[in-house]
Amino acid sequence: MTTEHDEGGEQVSTGTTITPGETAEVVPELVIISGMSGAGRSTAAKCLEDLGWFVVDNLPPALIPTMVELGARSQGNVARIAVVVDVRGRRFFDNLRQSLADLEAKHVTRRIVFLESSDDALVRRFESVRRPHPLQGDGRIVDGIEAERELLRELRGDADLVIDTSSLNVHELRAKMDAQFAGDEEPELRATVMSFGYKYGLPVDADLVVDCRFLPNPHWVPELRPFTGLNEEVSDYVFNQPGAKEFLDRYAELLQLIAAGYRREGKRYVTIAVGCTGGKHRSVAMSEKLAARLVSEGVETVLVHRDMGRE
C-alpha cells in the first residue's frame, strides 16, 4: 500500500495495494462512527451515506476487518465504508480493540468519529422521544448515560474527530460532517420527477407538487386521446398552449433557488410530483421537459411516470 501525507502531516492511504499475484485491489477508506446514544450517530451515518459511502449500522466490531476485506475485493465498487459501532452491540464491543489492531497491522487507514453530548442534552432527547436509554436497565436515564460514558471512555480517547452535538441541530451536525468528508465538492442534489394523476391520489413522498391542470386537456382532442405525453404530437400540443413554456421556464428558475437552499440545509433528495387529471398527457409531457432541464443543469435526475397506462 502506498501512502502520502496531507497538509497537516498525517499519513493517509492512497488506497492501492498489490498482492503477490499482481492483482491490484482498492482498499476502502474506513470510518468508524461511535459515541453516546442520542448524540446523533444515525444523522452522521446518513450524511456519509448521502455522500456516497457504504454504511453499515451496528456491525459487530469483530466483523469490521471482514467488511474491509470484502470491500477490497469489489474492484473499487466499495471505495468508502462507514461502520456504526455502539452499545447495542455491547456483547461484541470488547472485540473492537482487536479489530482496530488487525486493521493497523494490515495498514488500513481508518478514522474514528465520536459523537458527544452533555448529560442534560441527552436526557432531554430521550425524554422527548419517550424511549429508555439502552443501558439504563431498571434505573434512570442518567444511570444509563453514566454507564455508557464509562464504556466508551477509551474509544473517545482514540477518536480522530470528536463532535459535541449538545447545541447542534440536525442541519448543523450535517454541515460539520460535510465539512470533514465532502471535500471541496458541493453536495449533490438528486431529484426524482414523477408524473401522476390527481384522480389516483397525491404521491405520499412528494416534496414539491406541480399542477398542470391549468392547461387544456389533450384527452378531449380525439386524435390525441390514445397517445401519451411521450408522443411528440401530445407534447407539441401541450407546449403550444398559452403559458406552458413560460411556466416551465419560471418553475425551473424557482427550482434553482430551492435547490440552493436544500443544499445549505443538507437535504440531498427531492421528489417533484407533476400532476394532471389522469397522469397520462399533460403531466407526462411537462415531467419530460422538466427532467431534461434539471439534467442539463447538472442535477442527477430519475424520471418516473406513476400512472401512465392505468387508463
Side-chain angles (χ1 to χ4, degrees), residues 196-202 213 276-279 306-307 310-311:
F196 73 97
Y198 275 94
K199 70 180 183 179
Y200 301 113
L202 286 168
R213 292 176 296 181
C276 63
T277 303
R306 190 191 74 174
D307 297 325
R310 296 185 65 171
E311 290 187 343

Side-chain angles (χ1 to χ4, degrees), residues 39-53:
R41 292 185 310 246
S42 295
T43 298
K46 289 177 181 177
C47 182
L48 290 184
E49 189 173 36
D50 289 343
L51 291 173
W53 290 65

Side-chain angles (χ1 to χ4, degrees), residues 11-32:
Q11 182 173 290
V12 295
S13 169
T14 60
T16 302
T17 182
I18 304 297
T19 68
E22 298 297 324
T23 300
E25 291 185 347
V26 178
V27 178
E29 183 179 356
L30 174 66
V31 168
I32 298 172

Side-chain angles (χ1 to χ4, degrees), residues 29-105:
E29 183 179 356
L30 174 66
V31 168
I32 298 172
I33 300 173
S34 191
M36 300 297 295
S37 298
R41 292 185 310 246
S42 295
T43 298
K46 289 177 181 177
C47 182
L48 290 184
E49 189 173 36
D50 289 343
L51 291 173
W53 290 65
F54 184 86
V55 178
V56 183
D57 191 12
N58 199 25
L59 181 73
L63 296 181
I64 294 176
T66 302
M67 177 60 65
V68 173
E69 183 180 351
L70 292 174
R73 296 177 182 176
S74 69
Q75 299 180 339
N77 293 321
V78 182
R80 298 182 296 178
I81 297 175
V83 176
V84 181
V85 177
D86 55 57
V87 293
R88 289 176 297 172
R90 54 191 177 276
R91 290 182 303 167
F92 310 98
F93 208 79
D94 292 338
N95 296 325
L96 180 59
R97 176 62 59 190
Q98 182 60 49
S99 294
L100 293 178
D102 291 344
L103 294 172
E104 184 175 355

Side-chain angles (χ1 to χ4, degrees), residues 5 9-10 47 64 80 115 127 135 196 217 241 248 250 265:
H5 291 78
E10 181 180 357
C47 182
I64 294 176
R80 298 182 296 178
L115 281 300
E127 288 181 342
L135 292 185
F196 73 97
N217 192 348
Q241 301 302 319
L248 175 63
R250 295 184 183 181
E265 292 299 310

Side-chain angles (χ1 to χ4, degrees), residues 121-131 141:
L122 293 175
V123 169
R124 286 196 303 271
R125 291 168 189 173
F126 277 104
E127 288 181 342
S128 67
V129 295
R130 298 181 180 180
R131 295 183 62 184
I141 292 176

Side-chain angles (χ1 to χ4, degrees), residues 98-172:
Q98 182 60 49
S99 294
L100 293 178
D102 291 344
L103 294 172
E104 184 175 355
K106 296 176 181 178
H107 306 290
V108 175
T109 299
R110 54 87 178 145
R111 282 181 286 178
I112 298 176
V113 177
F114 192 94
L115 281 300
E116 175 67 280
S117 194
S118 68
D119 287 4
D120 290 343
L122 293 175
V123 169
R124 286 196 303 271
R125 291 168 189 173
F126 277 104
E127 288 181 342
S128 67
V129 295
R130 298 181 180 180
R131 295 183 62 184
H133 188 281
L135 292 185
Q136 77 179 71
D138 295 330
R140 301 175 301 163
I141 292 176
V142 291
D143 297 326
I145 294 173
E146 182 180 358
E148 186 176 34
R149 283 200 193 281
E150 184 60 33
L151 180 64
L152 298 177
R153 188 177 306 279
E154 187 175 354
L155 180 62
R156 187 189 189 282
D158 291 337
D160 301 283
L161 173 64
V162 177
I163 301 178
D164 188 344
T165 68
S166 302
S167 59
L168 300 181
N169 60 34
V170 171
H171 305 302
E172 291 168 335

